[in-house]
Amino acid sequence: MANVGSIMTWTFYEETDVPKEVEEILIEGETAEAAYKTVRDVAVVTNKRIIIADRQGITGKKVEIYTIPFKSIVMYSSENGGKIDLNAELELWTRAGKFKLLLNKNIHE
């Protein structure tokens, strides 16, 4: 398990379909709104939380799931990508630690 006391960072490059392992953990009344992927990892934004499927190991078959309920976010900051910096940043502070999600500027172009 990762140490969430230190910052955890993912850079997402493109939109993708919601993976099966995330669909299986959605609760009643929860709907996936968008999904974004890194080379191997996926973040899914639902109407209740952010779910991150962090693939591990050489094959990527081991998956650690992080779930960040919106009610547990105590503070956030966002930064838009500029002409040189191609990533938009979203930092989330929770009781468990700090998460940084970087979205490639080209995702919505």
Side-chain angles (χ1 to χ4, degrees), residues 1-8 66 92-99:
M1 183 163 111
N3 176 10
V4 293
S6 60
I7 191 167
M8 298 181 68
Y66 297 93
L92 307 172
W93 283 262
T94 70
R95 291 179 212 102
K98 184 176 169 184
F99 298 84

Side-chain angles (χ1 to χ4, degrees), residues 2 4 8 10 50-52 54 56 64-68 99:
V4 293
M8 298 181 68
W10 290 270
I50 298 171
I51 302 168
I52 299 172
D54 185 6
Q56 301 175 354
E64 186 168 8
I65 302 288
Y66 297 93
T67 178
I68 308 167
F99 298 84

Side-chain angles (χ1 to χ4, degrees), residues 13-52:
Y13 296 103
E14 62 185 357
E15 286 193 63
T16 189
D17 295 327
V18 177
K20 184 178 178 185
E21 63 264 14
V22 173
E23 283 181 354
E24 292 172 351
I25 65 169
L26 296 179
I27 60 174
E28 186 177 332
E30 184 174 26
T31 57
E33 304 294 335
Y36 303 97
K37 71 178 187 172
T38 66
V39 174
R40 297 182 350 155
D41 304 330
V42 175
V44 178
V45 179
T46 77
N47 59 330
K48 298 183 183 286
R49 59 188 165 159
I50 298 171
I51 302 168
I52 299 172

Side-chain angles (χ1 to χ4, degrees), residues 48-92:
K48 298 183 183 286
R49 59 188 165 159
I50 298 171
I51 302 168
I52 299 172
D54 185 6
R55 296 198 176 277
Q56 301 175 354
I58 294 171
T59 64
K61 290 184 179 182
K62 179 180 177 184
V63 180
E64 186 168 8
I65 302 288
Y66 297 93
T67 178
I68 308 167
F70 292 137
K71 66 182 180 180
S72 74
I73 298 170
V74 295
M75 186 174 87
Y76 74 91
S77 71
S78 65
E79 180 180 303
N80 294 331
K83 292 192 183 285
I84 296 174
D85 183 4
L86 298 180
N87 292 328
E89 297 179 7
L90 178 62
E91 286 189 71
L92 307 172

